[in-house]
């Protein structure tokens, strides 16, 4: 924050969502780079087991606490003033409800639970590649 009254942080966002964006539609696949490679969206899934809370050998069940991390690319979105550290590029809760977010279904759970984008979840933007400068007209000066 640069201003003592924090006014420079009001309505601050790293994410530009176009007016035509539909958050219920999966992003288009990236172009295949190799001859026999299919055009598919790549969603990376990382799961860290934090603790094993309970093991029931009679019913063959166990309970865990885990952290789920999903990474994906959405070519329909644009980004502004991204920092090198992705944890400084937070998407607000309102913005996260306005973009497509992958869901994971846990088929081997009792009720086939799915991942939820709620207040406990957060989204950050990771900066890849080079930046481009905007023209003076885009700045509104």
């Amino acid at each position: 924050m640069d201003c003592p009254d924090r006014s420079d942080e009001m309505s601050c966002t790293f994410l530009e969502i176009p007016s035509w964006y539909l958050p219920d539609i999966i992003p288009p696949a990236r172009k295949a780079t190799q001859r026999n490679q299919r055009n598919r969206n790549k969603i990376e899934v990382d799961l860290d087991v934090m603790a094993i809370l309970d093991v029931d050998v009679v019913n063959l069940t166990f309970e865990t606490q885990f952290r789920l991390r999903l990474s994906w690319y959405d070519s329909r979105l644009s980004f502004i003033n991204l920092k090198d550290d992705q944890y400084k590029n937070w998407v607000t809760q309102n913005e996260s409800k306005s973009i497509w977010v992958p869901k994971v279904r846990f088929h081997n759970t009792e009720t086939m639970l799915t991942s939820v984008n709620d207040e406990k979840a957060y989204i950050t933007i990771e900066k890849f590649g080079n930046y481009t400068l905007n023209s003076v007209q885009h700045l509104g000066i």
Side-chain angles (χ1 to χ4, degrees):
M1 290 179 233
D2 299 323
C3 298
D5 66 354
R6 299 180 182 170
S7 62
D8 61 332
E9 303 300 316
M10 302 289 287
S11 302
C12 184
T13 183
F14 299 101
L15 184 60
E16 280 190 344
I17 304 172
S19 60
W20 48 263
Y21 187 93
L22 298 173
D24 296 330
I25 306 295
I26 191 167
R30 296 175 104 174
K31 299 266 190 253
T33 55
Q34 297 177 356
R35 185 177 176 122
N36 293 327
Q37 189 178 14
R38 294 183 183 171
N39 287 348
R40 291 188 179 167
N41 285 322
K42 181 179 179 182
I43 301 171
E44 293 182 19
V45 179
D46 292 319
L47 187 117
D48 295 324
V49 176
M50 309 303 285
I52 297 175
L53 304 173
D54 185 39
V55 176
D56 184 346
V57 290
V58 174
N59 293 313
L60 300 174
T61 62
F62 65 96
E63 186 179 339
T64 64
Q65 180 180 18
F66 62 89
R67 180 179 301 137
L68 178 66
R69 181 174 184 255
L70 305 173
S71 301
W72 70 95
Y73 178 76
D74 190 337
S75 62
R76 302 170 296 173
L77 299 172
S78 298
F79 309 99
I80 308 166
N81 300 324
L82 291 179
K83 311 291 188 267
D84 290 330
D85 179 358
Q86 77 180 56
Y87 295 102
K88 293 182 179 178
N89 301 326
W90 288 83
V91 175
T92 67
Q93 281 292 321
N94 286 339
E95 290 171 329
S96 72
K97 303 294 182 201
S98 302
I99 63 173
W100 181 83
V101 176
K103 287 187 179 181
V104 175
R105 175 168 287 149
F106 300 95
H107 286 280
N108 60 346
T109 59
E110 290 178 6
T111 58
M112 294 181 71
L113 297 171
T114 60
S115 58
V116 178
N117 184 19
D118 62 9
E119 66 278 349
K120 293 180 184 177
Y122 62 90
I123 297 175
T124 61
I125 303 167
E126 191 170 358
K127 180 179 171 181
F128 289 109
N130 298 322
Y131 64 89
T132 57
L133 295 174
N134 283 333
S135 66
V136 174
Q137 291 82 11
H138 189 269
L139 296 175
I141 297 175

